[in-house]
Amino acid sequence: MSSAGYVVPNARKHLSEPATLRLKSFDRPFVFSLLAVLLVACQPAPSDPPSADVADPCGAETLQSLVGQPFADVSLPDYEPQRIFRIGDAVTMDFIETRRNVQLSEDGVTILAISCG
């Protein structure tokens, strides 16, 4: 085969052979290492076992018996972070799952709600 005086050696042989990918011996460890890394990356991450406090991270459920009682007569257990506010008070809108919120009546006398967030 000649094209403008240039001869392509074994041109017919290369065109008739099927294309195959041959890895050199030094490429194989790299390819296998890459495959191993990809397989490990596809595995799901181990998860921590769910704890009993997932539904109630701040302990508000245990204090629901205090709702409706006068705030002055109640001794709340020490807990941080805790936010005590009256209806109508300005409070931040951020949600902190472990924060205990104690909502008081407008006059600050009665406990209306105890919740997390």
Side-chain angles (χ1 to χ4, degrees):
M1 297 184 123
S2 169
S3 172
Y6 180 72
V7 176
V8 180
N10 298 328
R12 252 192 173 323
K13 181 180 176 191
H14 289 294
L15 293 175
S16 64
E17 290 180 1
T20 59
L21 176 64
R22 298 211 19 109
L23 296 176
K24 296 179 183 174
S25 62
F26 61 87
D27 287 341
R28 287 184 183 156
F30 172 75
V31 171
F32 291 126
S33 298
L34 180 63
L35 288 173
V37 168
L38 292 174
L39 286 174
V40 169
C42 292
Q43 297 296 320
S47 61
D48 294 332
S51 65
D53 298 324
V54 171
D56 188 29
C58 72
E61 286 296 319
T62 60
L63 300 174
Q64 292 305 306
S65 62
L66 303 178
V67 174
Q69 296 186 18
F71 180 64
D73 297 345
V74 170
S75 176
L76 288 172
D78 289 335
Y79 185 81
E80 287 296 327
Q82 178 167 269
R83 175 166 64 177
I84 301 172
F85 61 96
R86 294 180 294 168
I87 291 180
D89 286 352
V91 293
T92 60
M93 296 289 292
D94 61 329
F95 181 80
I96 301 173
E97 184 177 82
T98 58
R99 177 175 53 202
R100 181 187 299 155
N101 295 312
V102 180
Q103 184 179 14
L104 304 177
S105 60
E106 197 170 339
D107 57 7
V109 174
T110 307
I111 299 174
L112 298 179
I114 301 175
S115 62
C116 298

